[in-house]
Amino acid sequence: MRSLSVKAIKGNEILAKDLIGDGDKILLPAGCKLKIEYREHLLRLGIESVYIKDEISKGVLNDRVSEDAIKDECLADVKNTLERFSYNADTEENHISNIAEEIINDVLQEKNVVYCLAGVRQRSEGIYSHSINVAVLSILIAVKMGVAKSRIKDIAIGSLLHDIGYNGVTVKMTNEPGQTYTDEEKKEIKKHVLYGYSMISNEAWLSKTSKDIILSHHEMINSKGYPFHLDGDHMSLAIKIVSLCNDFDTLVYGRFGKPIKIHDAIAYIISQSGVRYEHSVVAAFNEVVAAYPNGTIVVTNEKEIGIVLRQNQKCPTRPVIRLLQDKSGKRYSKWVEKDLTTCLTLFIEDTLETI
């Protein structure tokens, strides 16, 4: 299975997963053949990518701990719970705690997990998928850094609720990738941290750690964040972790700008180590997130094109790939697999939407 840009649909591709629309309705079932005339309709619905199965994607590992796997398990629960939480927070303690516990257990079942961010999100998922991604990545970083499990749960709950304040924002937000806002709208959007904190400040069941995450997940160690312009000495490790994860997911999905490729988002986070983000948090982040997720079409320094089959846990920037065509554009007739941790002169230069 691999993702394919809707714009790249040529017709006759086999859909690998049910395509779900608003209201959890199945728009297209898994196994159906795509038609070229579907492109414009899907784009109008805010669907920019689909999953297909084809000859190219044979051998691609579907990780148990990945954005898609976690999202398939709990997206509906997160969506329903966050919507109810906005109206009656004190009834949602068990729901939020159970979701956090479920995600933590998924992550902790395997050591040295490399998280594969799909880079595929439907407009209707919006804030809910974002909250799940931030929670999963925050948990992985916290585990890598040796944080106690009780504190990890507080981080997970805070991550799941970190954007709850958007329910109080008066600006219309469509979750369109690259949506832009006026200066006044940006000021209002920034108030979501205050709206969110006011919603939960009196909830006794929420820990101080979780509440601080909701209030301060846009702070940066260089004091240029908001709402209080805290510096690194006045930010807890939990806030530092969630701040980085929130920014990373926002960059990949273009919530407030043009979406960028996953490996470029990782490069940006690394470039801001010691500036916006704590060195130790960046180091842990770089060990747990895949720069080139499974199923990604890649271009090597030798101008060959391949597809990522699986990750190398100790080196997320150098996965195992299958070469599909040589530098002249000729397809390989036999399976050619390369492990980039052993092929030291071969590296990935870029990614492609299709081939």
Side-chain angles (χ1 to χ4, degrees):
M1 182 177 75
R2 66 185 178 97
S3 65
L4 179 72
S5 169
V6 168
K7 294 178 182 178
I9 292 175
K10 297 177 180 177
N12 292 320
E13 294 92 350
I14 304 297
L15 196 64
K17 297 176 64 176
D18 289 343
L19 196 57
I20 308 297
D22 292 339
D24 296 328
K25 293 181 179 179
I26 296 179
L27 301 176
L28 294 170
C32 78
K33 285 188 178 181
L34 298 176
K35 299 179 180 179
I36 195 167
E37 51 263 36
Y38 291 169
R39 291 191 306 194
E40 293 304 317
H41 181 62
L42 293 176
L43 290 171
R44 282 197 300 270
L45 293 174
I47 299 171
E48 297 195 340
S49 298
V50 295
Y51 286 102
I52 64 170
K53 54 183 177 182
D54 57 8
E55 188 67 28
I56 289 174
S57 60
K58 284 185 177 179
V60 173
L61 178 66
N62 294 322
D63 285 336
R64 184 185 59 77
V65 179
S66 67
E67 176 183 4
D68 287 320
I70 299 292
K71 191 168 66 176
D72 286 347
E73 286 184 11
C74 64
L75 179 61
D77 285 341
V78 169
K79 181 177 180 180
N80 293 334
T81 300
L82 293 187
E83 287 175 348
R84 292 198 305 268
F85 190 95
S86 301
Y87 299 101
N88 197 4
D90 60 358
T91 68
E92 298 305 323
E93 173 182 358
N94 289 334
H95 295 290
I96 293 289
S97 296
N98 289 342
I99 292 170
E101 195 72 47
E102 182 179 343
I103 296 173
I104 291 169
N105 289 338
D106 276 345
V107 171
L108 292 180
Q109 280 181 30
E110 293 184 23
K111 294 182 179 180
N112 300 316
V113 170
V114 176
Y115 185 53
C116 283
L117 193 70
V120 176
R121 180 182 295 164
Q122 296 181 24
R123 182 172 58 196
S124 59
E125 295 171 2
I127 189 175
Y128 310 112
S129 284
H130 170 70
S131 298
I132 294 170
N133 286 353
V134 172
V136 174
L137 193 50
S138 295
I139 291 166
L140 282 165
I141 291 174
V143 170
K144 178 64 68 174
M145 298 185 74
V147 176
K149 186 176 179 181
S150 59
R151 183 57 60 88
I152 291 175
K153 186 171 181 179
D154 292 338
I155 292 173
I157 291 172
S159 299
L160 288 169
L161 295 176
H162 78 281
D163 274 346
I164 196 72
Y166 276 116
N167 289 294
V169 171
T170 58
V171 175
K172 183 178 180 180
M173 302 176 68
T174 63
N175 292 316
E176 294 276 6
Q179 183 181 1
T180 58
Y181 302 93
T182 66
D183 289 342
E184 286 302 312
E185 287 174 331
K186 289 176 182 177
K187 288 180 182 179
E188 172 64 15
I189 289 170
K190 285 184 176 181
K191 292 179 183 178
H192 77 277
V193 296
L194 302 175
Y195 296 149
Y197 186 75
S198 68
M199 290 172 61
I200 54 84
S201 59
N202 294 324
E203 296 300 321
W205 64 273
L206 275 174
S207 69
K208 182 179 184 300
T209 295
S210 297
K211 292 178 181 180
D212 286 347
I213 287 170
I214 293 166
L215 180 61
S216 300
H217 62 271
H218 282 285
E219 298 286 2
M220 295 180 277
I221 65 170
N222 61 2
S223 305
K224 293 186 178 181
Y226 66 87
F228 303 119
H229 306 290
L230 301 176
D231 62 23
D233 292 337
H234 294 88
M235 294 169 61
S236 67
L237 177 60
I239 293 171
K240 291 173 181 176
I241 290 172
V242 178
S243 172
L244 182 153
C245 297
N246 177 65
D247 285 355
F248 175 65
D249 190 77
T250 296
L251 288 169
V252 171
Y253 284 103
R255 295 183 76 205
F256 301 103
K258 185 178 179 180
I260 66 175
K261 294 179 178 181
I262 293 170
H263 65 277
D264 288 333
I266 292 173
Y268 171 78
I269 295 292
I270 293 172
S271 76
Q272 295 299 304
S273 181
V275 182
R276 296 170 66 106
Y277 315 114
E278 188 78 36
H279 285 300
S280 59
V281 178
V282 174
F285 161 81
N286 197 37
E287 289 186 39
V288 300
V289 64
Y292 307 100
N294 299 349
T296 302
I297 304 295
V298 297
V299 182
T300 74
N301 58 308
E302 296 180 359
K303 308 307 176 187
E304 295 171 308
I305 293 176
I307 187 169
V308 177
L309 296 177
R310 57 188 181 276
Q311 300 297 314
N312 278 307
Q313 293 180 340
K314 294 184 178 180
C315 196
T317 61
R318 297 188 67 78
V320 177
I321 67 173
R322 172 190 171 194
L323 295 180
L324 302 173
Q325 65 183 47
D326 63 22
K327 62 183 179 181
S328 68
K330 183 180 178 180
R331 292 290 183 102
Y332 286 101
S333 58
K334 294 184 178 180
W335 189 287
V336 181
E337 185 173 306
K338 298 283 186 179
D339 184 340
L340 299 190
T341 61
T342 57
C343 301
L344 300 182
T345 61
L346 190 67
F347 57 86
I348 296 171
E349 282 192 339
D350 203 356
T351 62
L352 300 174
E353 288 188 342
T354 188
I355 178 174

